[in-house]
Amino acid sequence: MKYMQLGLTDLIVSRICFGCWQLSPRFWGEVPIEPWRRAVTRAAELGVNFIDTAGAYGDGFAETCLGDCLAELGLRDRFYLATKFYWNFQGADRYPETTYEFIMSECENSLRRLKTDRIDLYQIHAWDPLTRPEEVAAALGRLKKEGKIRWAGVSNMNVEQMGAYRDLFDVASLQPHYNLLAREVEDRELPYCLQHRIGVIPYSPLYRGLLTGKYARDHVFKDSRGEYDLYTGGAFPRMLEALDETAKIAEGLGLSMAQLAIRWVLTNPAVTSAIVGIKTPEHIESIVPAAEGTLPIPVWHRAGNILGKAKRDALALLDQE
Ligand SMILES: NC(=O)c1ccc[n+]([C@@H]2O[C@H](COP(=O)([O-])OP(=O)(O)OC[C@H]3O[C@@H](n4cnc5c(N)ncnc54)[C@H](OP(=O)(O)O)[C@@H]3O)[C@@H](O)[C@H]2O)c1
């Protein structure tokens, strides 16, 4: 396993981060817990030392499962734990909230669910237009002073939003959507993070699985992916066709398509660690070798061009349907 310093923090994290969103039944349906727990153990054995979750994943369920698993297996100190706050899910409707009171109480809830006395990276899940950054900063400053969080990071934010927080506290990291099919942050956010030494931990590096190219053309997704643009209608076979072509490039490098997709993300010098959504020990085992290197520059561009064109074609097909 390869490791990298997360921004300017003292966290030296593995280049693969174990993502826990898969334990959110709202999006992923029922994911069997036993294989997931074995995956956590396997991740530790393989040198993965970084786990990402959120209070909102399954409305506390993912944090609770993770906390139970780490406590029962005695693995808490083997991992840096990153979690997030933003969604208030206590009532019938969930809504964004980053008020001082909410952050203070939600952090206590996360600590309790995770069965730990500290969160290594506490992230604002997304920009909240209703709360002043000064209020968020005051809460995070207090939590840091009390030793309940070690570092604070952000997710799903643009340069201006990061800047508003950076004026008030150290922003350790950005968690953006970034992969071969979602490159919006490449022009502004990633250079900004490089310039200011903010760690970058992209999510959905496999575009929620599509970039593995592993699905049959008639595959029926039983989870919410069935409603996702590139997973539907004529778009899906068009994407699989492009993925077959890209998989041949991967094969030439001795990589699976999934490994190429992860390595593609890790090749960007702004990127610290790719957060991969894991359900089984096989998922983590087969993805870990991707962290061992980067892609040759021509391959990085070729894969990006093939899949970029396929995405444009696929979205045009959907428009016609
Ligand atoms: N900050 C945010 O707003 C945000 C948003 C989304 C995600 N995240 C974080 O990022 C993590 C990853 O993102 P993601 O779950 O959206 O997508 P992802 O990592 O792009 O895709 C995960 C899916 O890829 C497949 N997969 C994973 N490893 C594999 C392997 N080695 N071989 C074959 N298939 C493999 C599995 O699909 P199958 O289920 O079909 O097997 C899995 O469910 C999440 O768990 C979460 O921690 C954050």
Side-chain angles (χ1 to χ4, degrees):
M1 178 52 65
K2 293 268 192 295
Y3 301 85
M4 210 180 242
Q5 182 181 6
L6 182 73
L8 289 169
T9 72
D10 58 354
L11 310 183
I12 308 297
V13 298
S14 50
R15 297 212 78 199
I16 302 290
C17 175
F18 188 115
C20 292
W21 182 36
Q22 275 56 23
L23 293 185
S24 170
R26 184 182 285 118
F27 188 89
W28 294 94
E30 294 297 326
V31 169
I33 292 295
E34 264 321 301
W36 180 85
R37 285 169 65 103
R38 279 189 276 117
V40 174
T41 308
R42 198 70 192 109
E45 288 165 2
L46 292 166
V48 172
N49 71 355
F50 196 18
I51 300 188
D52 176 72
T53 186
Y57 295 170
D59 294 352
F61 181 68
E63 283 187 340
T64 302
C65 289
L66 181 60
D68 288 348
C69 175
L70 297 180
E72 284 162 29
L73 300 173
L75 290 174
R76 168 61 187 96
D77 294 333
R78 293 283 287 275
F79 293 103
Y80 293 126
L81 288 189
T83 192
K84 315 181 194 79
F85 63 92
Y86 175 77
W87 289 106
N88 186 329
F89 49 85
Q90 306 307 333
D93 297 322
R94 62 196 324 245
Y95 56 87
E97 183 170 351
T98 61
T99 59
Y100 184 90
E101 291 73 22
F102 176 74
I103 297 172
M104 299 308 285
S105 72
E106 190 51 13
C107 183
E108 290 301 334
N109 290 337
S110 285
L111 288 167
R112 179 177 38 76
R113 290 187 292 250
L114 288 166
K115 298 190 173 46
T116 186
D117 59 355
R118 70 202 181 278
I119 291 162
D120 299 295
L121 181 65
Y122 202 35
Q123 304 159 102
I124 314 169
H125 213 140
W127 175 258
D128 172 10
L130 296 187
T131 306
R132 295 178 64 82
E134 287 81 358
E135 188 168 337
V136 177
L140 293 174
R142 170 136 181 234
L143 290 171
K144 206 165 170 177
K145 214 166 161 185
E146 290 175 352
K148 292 178 177 165
I149 66 169
R150 288 177 68 189
W151 297 97
V154 299
S155 179
N156 298 307
M157 288 198 199
N158 64 28
V159 163
E160 289 72 23
Q161 294 163 344
M162 279 190 276
Y165 287 125
R166 279 191 69 244
D167 285 344
L168 302 165
F169 62 90
D170 291 336
V171 173
S173 58
L174 169 68
Q175 185 176 144
H177 187 206
Y178 181 54
N179 57 56
L180 268 158
L181 295 169
R183 300 177 59 174
E184 290 78 6
V185 293
E186 226 165 56
D187 290 342
R188 296 185 72 235
E189 284 71 26
L190 298 193
Y192 179 85
C193 289
L194 254 186
Q195 182 189 359
H196 296 290
R197 296 199 59 194
I198 297 169
V200 177
I201 48 176
Y203 69 78
S204 305
L206 298 172
Y207 203 79
R208 309 198 158 122
L210 182 62
L211 284 169
T212 63
K214 69 181 179 180
Y215 308 107
R217 274 154 179 73
D218 59 355
H219 186 87
V220 178
F221 289 94
K222 296 201 181 91
D223 47 46
S224 307
R225 288 178 291 186
E227 294 147 30
Y228 257 63
D229 53 4
L230 301 181
Y231 286 82
T232 57
F236 190 56
R238 174 68 188 97
M239 291 313 303
L240 292 182
E241 183 188 297
L243 284 160
D244 286 345
E245 188 184 345
T246 321
K248 287 196 189 105
I249 303 174
E251 217 177 292
L253 296 169
L255 300 172
S256 67
M257 184 56 226
Q259 289 168 344
L260 180 137
I262 300 296
R263 207 169 266 199
W264 187 90
V265 165
L266 295 177
T267 300
N268 189 310
V271 171
T272 314
S273 177
I275 312 177
V276 188
I278 300 294
K279 290 177 181 169
T280 63
E282 294 73 30
H283 278 164
I284 192 70
E285 269 161 19
S286 61
I287 219 64
V288 154
E292 289 306 315
T294 53
L295 291 179
I297 290 170
V299 172
W300 190 88
H301 286 291
R302 198 152 160 241
N305 290 340
I306 293 169
L307 290 164
K309 176 165 185 335
K311 183 181 177 184
R312 286 191 297 280
D313 293 350
L315 292 177
L317 280 170
L318 283 184
D319 270 350
Q320 289 162 18
E321 282 174 12

